[in-house]
Amino acid sequence: MDGITLEFKYGDRIVGKTGNLEVLSTIYNQVRDRSITSVLRRLLLSNLEQSSTWFYINKQVSTMGIVVLVDDEFESPLGPIRINLKSNNIDRVIEWLCPE
């Protein structure tokens, strides 16, 4: 992916880092198209801790370029993908990604 630095950590985990919000454009567009901004906002706010937050997406359907939010890691048969967001302006990131 352009703009993301990937690192292997903890055995089978891949961690991607970027300073560019545009890498979230697929999620940004799909939460609007599918009218699930309020669901994503709820997840982000419930997992908010200081300057970071996170949410899960379904791993299986993400291979088809579809974003399906997952409340619990056990809902996804293959395990979910965890998206961690960290920013000094995390409130602005949340507001941009899923406005009220």
Side-chain angles (χ1 to χ4, degrees):
M1 269 188 180
D2 290 340
I4 297 179
T5 303
L6 297 176
E7 303 172 13
F8 286 92
K9 290 191 173 184
Y10 316 111
D12 63 347
R13 281 196 185 153
I14 299 173
V15 176
K17 295 182 182 182
T18 186
N20 183 356
L21 283 177
E22 289 303 310
V23 301
L24 298 173
S25 63
T26 299
I27 295 169
Y28 177 93
N29 291 327
Q30 285 198 25
V31 296
R32 281 160 180 71
D33 292 348
R34 299 179 65 231
S35 301
I36 55 174
T37 53
S38 61
V39 175
L40 180 56
R41 185 175 185 83
R42 176 184 54 80
L43 292 170
L44 291 174
L45 292 175
S46 68
N47 296 321
L48 183 62
E49 191 171 306
Q50 296 180 353
S51 63
S52 66
T53 188
W54 59 272
F55 62 99
Y56 290 126
I57 61 174
N58 183 291
K59 186 184 296 181
Q60 190 171 7
V61 295
S62 71
T63 62
M64 296 181 290
I66 299 170
V67 174
V68 173
L69 300 172
V70 178
D71 277 326
D72 184 284
E73 67 180 305
F74 301 107
E75 286 178 39
S76 186
L78 299 177
I81 296 171
R82 180 172 163 153
I83 309 286
N84 294 314
L85 303 173
K86 184 175 181 179
S87 172
N88 291 333
N89 295 311
I90 195 67
D91 294 333
R92 280 187 66 201
V93 173
I94 293 170
E95 191 60 35
W96 171 80
L97 192 57
C98 46
E100 233 175 323

